[in-house]
Amino acid sequence: MSIKQVAKLAGVSISTVSRCLNSPDQVKPKTLAAVQSAIEETGYAPNALARNFRRGKTGLILVVLQSVGLPFWEGVMRGINGVARETGYSILIRETASSQPELDDYCKMVMSKEADGIIVLASPSPISGTSQYSTQARRTPIVLGCENVTDEMAHIPSVRVDNRRASSEATQYLLQLGHQRIGFIAGSRGSLLTRDRERGYFDAMKASPQGEHREWVVNGDQTIDGARRATRKLLSLPEAPTAIFCANDEMAMAAIYEIKRRGLRVPEDISVVGFDDTRYAAIMDPPLTTVVQPTEEIGERTMRRLISAIEGHDIGEAPEIVEHRLIVRDSTAPPRSDTSGQAQNQSAERMA
């Protein structure tokens, strides 16, 4: 059976059948009843079309992210897809390089009922401008998976870890090992993605005997090249850090590479901690100590929260916090004697 046969049996056009499925509120009750009867009589996709017809939904969720190839999103998408299969939804993935026209188009898909809701994964807002947010977003089911990347998205419900607390605990772990000079490789300047992680680092350092040192914080731009530059800068300080905490695992990988390139050892000379526990963290050399984000759980909860909004429930604006944990591997150890700082600087001079 096809949609054409459903239309013929109901005595309507194919476009009318499509409108009944996607925008039932725009169709006369008599026509709706005829199309529903035809769907049931023909048995045409009863598990999808008929159910969506009754609910007035498309059964389609739009997931917007900047790059589907980033390792971190594997677990998140696995969680989203698992709940989607369980609840009968289909997932449409759209990548965007911060292109606002594209994002506006995605939002229009929901407004025109081509999709039921939007999940945004570390991507700019699907709605341009605060005035549009106040009118459109209240009618558009949107949930953020992980952090918001712009201030205008602060009031959109999200599912994430407590980045500030997680970062503070990772820094405290290094302090408990005996490190006092702890560098931090942040994201881009002003990046909301890593802002709370930087704040957590400062929370812990302020409470330490050494206190906070702004020169120990260097922007790594959330890239491998940026983190390598940041590591070189930290190693060239008069008192080089004995430990480096990176705002994500990718930058931690780059830091370890640069440390080894300088003739230093991890963790014997410098300890390194990451954030995220991506798929490469456990097989690095050495395996990386890092903050674990439960990515699959984040995906599952994000999807369930969105479905709740689609079904008309008030899901509020407060973030839903999931628990993180610090997994200790071989990239961290107590610091050597204080002569290690001198050795690091001598190594940096040899490589200059």
Side-chain angles (χ1 to χ4, degrees), residues 184 198 201-202 206 211-218 234:
F184 182 75
E198 184 175 337
Y201 161 82
F202 277 121
K206 286 176 184 176
E212 62 174 290
H213 289 253
R214 291 285 170 177
E215 68 271 19
W216 291 349
V217 177
V218 185
L234 288 171

Side-chain angles (χ1 to χ4, degrees), residues 237-250:
L237 291 173
E239 287 191 302
T242 60
I244 297 176
F245 177 28
C246 302
N248 65 29
D249 284 353
E250 185 175 82

Side-chain angles (χ1 to χ4, degrees), residues 262-278:
R262 294 285 174 122
L264 299 170
R265 298 170 298 167
V266 177
E268 291 85 354
D269 297 312
I270 304 180
S271 290
V272 177
V273 175
F275 200 114
D276 287 337
D277 194 34
T278 54

Side-chain angles (χ1 to χ4, degrees), residues 72 147 159-173 196-197 200 245 273-277 290-295 297-298 301 320-328:
F72 177 78
E147 299 78 27
V159 179
R160 58 176 177 81
V161 299
D162 186 335
N163 285 279
R164 187 167 185 167
R165 181 163 65 90
S167 182
S168 176
E169 290 174 2
T171 308
Q172 288 171 20
Y173 165 72
D196 283 347
R197 298 176 192 182
F245 177 28
V273 175
F275 200 114
D276 287 337
D277 194 34
T290 186
V291 175
V292 179
Q293 293 203 66
T295 53
E297 181 183 357
I298 289 172
R301 291 198 185 191
E320 182 176 339
I321 302 298
V322 297
E323 283 302 312
H324 64 274
R325 64 188 177 92
L326 179 70
I327 183 165
V328 177

Side-chain angles (χ1 to χ4, degrees), residues 103-114 126 136:
L103 292 167
D104 289 340
D105 287 343
Y106 300 155
C107 191
K108 288 173 185 175
M109 286 182 66
V110 179
M111 301 301 291
S112 62
K113 297 194 175 180
E114 296 176 57
Q136 284 187 337

Side-chain angles (χ1 to χ4, degrees), residues 309-323:
I310 290 169
E311 292 175 347
H313 301 294
D314 183 4
I315 63 172
E317 296 180 348
E320 182 176 339
I321 302 298
V322 297
E323 283 302 312

Side-chain angles (χ1 to χ4, degrees), residues 219-248:
N219 294 324
D221 298 326
Q222 295 165 234
T223 65
I224 289 176
D225 288 342
R228 288 186 62 188
R229 288 192 297 270
T231 303
R232 289 195 294 269
K233 185 173 181 179
L234 288 171
L235 294 180
S236 68
L237 291 173
E239 287 191 302
T242 60
I244 297 176
F245 177 28
C246 302
N248 65 29

